[in-house]
Amino acid sequence: MEVTEIPEAPPEVQETSEAPEAPEAPETPEVPEQQAVPRVRRRGRTTLLIATAAVLGVVAGTCVGYLIQADREPTELPSLSQPSLPQAGGKGPQPLSAAQDRRVRTDGDLRKLLVERPSGARDTTSAEGVDGWMGLDAYADGYTRPTTAYSTLIDDEFRRAAVTSWQTGSTHSVLIRLVQYRQEDRLAARERVADELYGEAEYDTDSWSVPGTGDGMAYVRKQPENKAGYLPMYTAEAHAWRGDIAMQIFVNDSRPITKAKIMDLAERQMERL
């Protein structure tokens, strides 16, 4: 018989204790050193801590103050009753006379405070009022716009008006008014005089301060008023106030009016107030 050949055994694998060498790692490229990034500080936290501490300090101080006050004895209030004062003996002072107390004079007959007309002059007061008095209607009619003047005088608390007027010769005339206001809300007499003085500023005049008055003025217009059929008429005015009374003086003449004439009337009238 033909014997089949037995294949040879595979060669034995030689055991070795040495581990295979690990492959070398690839070289890492050098990275340039980065610059240090500054840290950003959070704002607001410190401020908040300080504000909180301040609030807590105020609260603590208030609490301590209350505790200290609570431990103290209450302070006694002063007595509401006042000590009785001894009453002075003897008679009281005598009341002022009308010559000394201006209020007594101005609350009386206002017509008595008007300057007296010169001897020989013709009385023309009836043309301006009734028995030396002017009512609100008659006084308002003397203005360019009577309706407006009437309302204004009511607002100004018009009380009464005393009037006197006279004429000497054929053309020389004088008119004097004392207008009194109640003056419960404001100095109406002073305001009315200021309005009159403001109106005179639009004319060509000579002017002088009235002595003894704070802002009283006298005016003489340089040019006469001309109306058809009438003689040229020169005019002069004086306005001042004292207390609750406004003074108005008007002088008319066909001849120029002197400073001495208007100033004499204004000074004598203010002396009586």
Short mmCIF file of all heavy atoms in Angstrom, two decimals, residues 49 57 77 101 109 116 135 161 174 215 231 253 273:
data_model
loop_
_atom_site.label_atom_id
_atom_site.label_comp_id
_atom_site.label_asym_id
_atom_site.label_seq_id
_atom_site.Cartn_x
_atom_site.Cartn_y
_atom_site.Cartn_z
N LEU A 49 -22.84 96.50 48.16
CA LEU A 49 -22.51 96.12 49.54
C LEU A 49 -22.40 97.35 50.43
O LEU A 49 -22.88 97.36 51.56
CB LEU A 49 -21.18 95.33 49.55
CG LEU A 49 -21.23 93.92 48.91
CD1 LEU A 49 -19.85 93.32 48.88
CD2 LEU A 49 -22.20 93.02 49.66
N GLY A 57 -26.82 100.38 58.74
CA GLY A 57 -26.33 101.25 59.80
C GLY A 57 -27.37 102.27 60.25
O GLY A 57 -27.54 102.53 61.44
N LEU A 77 -44.34 118.75 79.90
CA LEU A 77 -44.66 119.88 79.06
C LEU A 77 -44.93 121.10 79.91
O LEU A 77 -45.40 120.99 81.04
CB LEU A 77 -45.89 119.57 78.20
CG LEU A 77 -45.72 118.42 77.20
CD1 LEU A 77 -47.05 118.15 76.49
CD2 LEU A 77 -44.64 118.75 76.18
N ASP A 101 -56.29 162.19 65.06
CA ASP A 101 -56.62 160.89 64.48
C ASP A 101 -57.14 161.10 63.07
O ASP A 101 -58.27 161.57 62.85
CB ASP A 101 -57.69 160.20 65.34
CG ASP A 101 -57.89 158.74 64.93
OD1 ASP A 101 -57.41 158.36 63.84
OD2 ASP A 101 -58.53 157.99 65.69
N ASP A 109 -67.34 163.88 57.62
CA ASP A 109 -67.81 164.58 56.43
C ASP A 109 -66.62 164.91 55.54
O ASP A 109 -65.80 165.80 55.85
CB ASP A 109 -68.55 165.86 56.85
CG ASP A 109 -69.31 166.48 55.68
OD1 ASP A 109 -69.00 166.13 54.52
OD2 ASP A 109 -70.19 167.31 55.93
N GLU A 116 -61.00 175.49 50.70
CA GLU A 116 -62.05 176.49 50.53
C GLU A 116 -61.82 177.28 49.24
O GLU A 116 -60.68 177.59 48.89
CB GLU A 116 -62.10 177.41 51.73
CG GLU A 116 -62.43 176.70 53.04
CD GLU A 116 -62.44 177.66 54.21
OE1 GLU A 116 -62.18 178.87 53.99
OE2 GLU A 116 -62.71 177.21 55.34
N GLY A 135 -71.91 160.68 43.16
CA GLY A 135 -72.20 159.26 43.22
C GLY A 135 -71.35 158.49 42.22
O GLY A 135 -70.61 159.06 41.40
N ALA A 161 -67.26 160.09 46.91
CA ALA A 161 -66.41 161.15 46.37
C ALA A 161 -67.00 162.50 46.74
O ALA A 161 -68.20 162.73 46.56
CB ALA A 161 -66.27 161.01 44.86
N VAL A 174 -61.53 175.78 38.39
CA VAL A 174 -60.82 174.79 39.21
C VAL A 174 -61.82 173.73 39.64
O VAL A 174 -62.95 174.04 40.03
CB VAL A 174 -60.19 175.45 40.45
CG1 VAL A 174 -59.55 174.39 41.35
CG2 VAL A 174 -59.15 176.49 40.03
N ASP A 215 -45.56 159.72 45.79
CA ASP A 215 -45.48 159.71 44.33
C ASP A 215 -46.46 160.69 43.70
O ASP A 215 -46.81 160.54 42.52
CB ASP A 215 -45.74 158.30 43.79
CG ASP A 215 -46.96 157.65 44.44
OD1 ASP A 215 -47.68 158.35 45.17
OD2 ASP A 215 -47.19 156.45 44.22
N LEU A 231 -62.34 179.01 22.60
CA LEU A 231 -61.00 179.55 22.79
C LEU A 231 -60.02 178.41 23.09
O LEU A 231 -60.40 177.39 23.67
CB LEU A 231 -60.99 180.55 23.96
CG LEU A 231 -61.76 181.86 23.76
CD1 LEU A 231 -61.79 182.64 25.07
CD2 LEU A 231 -61.11 182.70 22.66
N ASP A 253 -57.76 177.14 31.81
CA ASP A 253 -57.70 178.58 31.57
C ASP A 253 -57.33 178.80 30.11
O ASP A 253 -56.66 177.97 29.49
CB ASP A 253 -56.66 179.24 32.48
CG ASP A 253 -56.91 180.72 32.66
OD1 ASP A 253 -57.57 181.33 31.78
OD2 ASP A 253 -56.47 181.28 33.67
N LEU A 273 -55.42 166.66 54.38
CA LEU A 273 -55.64 165.21 54.50
C LEU A 273 -54.71 164.59 55.54
O LEU A 273 -54.75 163.38 55.73
CB LEU A 273 -55.44 164.53 53.13
CG LEU A 273 -56.44 164.93 52.04
CD1 LEU A 273 -56.08 164.21 50.74
CD2 LEU A 273 -57.86 164.60 52.45
#
